[in-house]
Amino acid sequence: ILDPNENIGRELEQLSIDKNRKVIVMLDEVPWIWEKNVEKLGLKGNGNVEVKKEVDLYEWMWYYSHSSAVVTDSFHGTIFSIIFEKPFITMVNVKRGAQRFVSLLEPLNLKDRLFDGPEAIGEHKDMLDALDYTVPNKKLDEIRRESMKWLEDALFSKKEVNDSAIYPSIDKRLVEK
């Protein structure tokens, strides 16, 4: 959670109760705002919610890979949910760029997992039970293929060298023998 507030805290506590699960919260790790971010969650001690501090990269990835589901307002959190094939709910983070969430999720047919606010956690908690990644993975494979083709074309196509170029170079694979 990048931008915590009491509504998110309340929904996470209720989710813990409803699903009878421990909820691990990883906040923005900037040391001078971590305590303030914990306060912003306004946790009341309901349910089983633990806020982690000083989570390093390996631990962060471990939590993603071993989670049963993810609730996030983070673009990168959404990406890792997809990479690790976790059911997820994403709360759009307008302050950090809402359109990039749409541009990620729409091509994968996962836009239905994007919500405007934390009330979606409770209203759509069943979305955290399972997610069939068959279609999103096929679409992701297609996007990867198209991206690799674009990159190869950009790297290996014949280039025009401007006389004013400081370091002109020629790809030796393109030079006829």
Side-chain angles (χ1 to χ4, degrees), residues 28-156:
D28 192 340
E29 285 290 327
V30 181
W32 54 89
I33 64 169
W34 188 85
E35 292 290 339
K36 192 175 207 172
N37 279 342
V38 172
E39 288 176 25
K40 286 180 181 179
L41 271 178
L43 297 174
K44 306 289 188 229
N46 302 322
N48 188 359
V49 178
E50 179 182 351
V51 182
K52 291 292 187 179
K53 186 174 184 177
E54 298 177 7
V55 178
D56 67 23
L57 176 63
Y58 299 104
E59 189 178 8
W60 197 76
M61 297 306 288
W62 186 90
Y63 280 114
Y64 264 92
S65 67
H66 288 81
S67 68
S68 60
V70 175
V71 174
T72 188
D73 67 346
S74 160
F75 180 73
H76 292 95
T78 303
I79 289 171
F80 283 111
S81 300
I82 294 167
I83 289 171
F84 287 112
E85 297 186 358
K86 301 300 177 179
F88 68 93
I89 290 175
T90 296
M91 298 168 286
V92 69
N93 196 321
V94 177
K95 293 192 303 189
R96 298 174 187 262
Q99 186 54 41
R100 63 187 186 152
F101 289 95
V102 174
S103 68
L104 169 67
L105 297 174
E106 199 166 52
L108 302 178
N109 286 355
L110 293 172
K111 192 175 170 203
D112 64 328
R113 303 224 163 228
L114 184 62
F115 297 96
D116 287 332
E119 62 281 346
I121 299 169
E123 293 171 5
H124 300 283
K125 64 182 172 250
D126 292 343
M127 292 181 106
L128 298 172
D129 292 337
L131 175 55
D132 181 0
Y133 270 92
T134 305
V135 171
N137 281 339
K138 283 182 184 176
K139 292 186 175 289
L140 195 54
D141 287 343
E142 182 181 322
I143 291 167
R144 284 181 180 131
R145 277 192 304 275
E146 290 171 5
S147 297
M148 286 303 294
K149 181 175 179 352
W150 181 91
L151 184 59
E152 287 172 358
D153 289 347
L155 289 173
F156 302 122

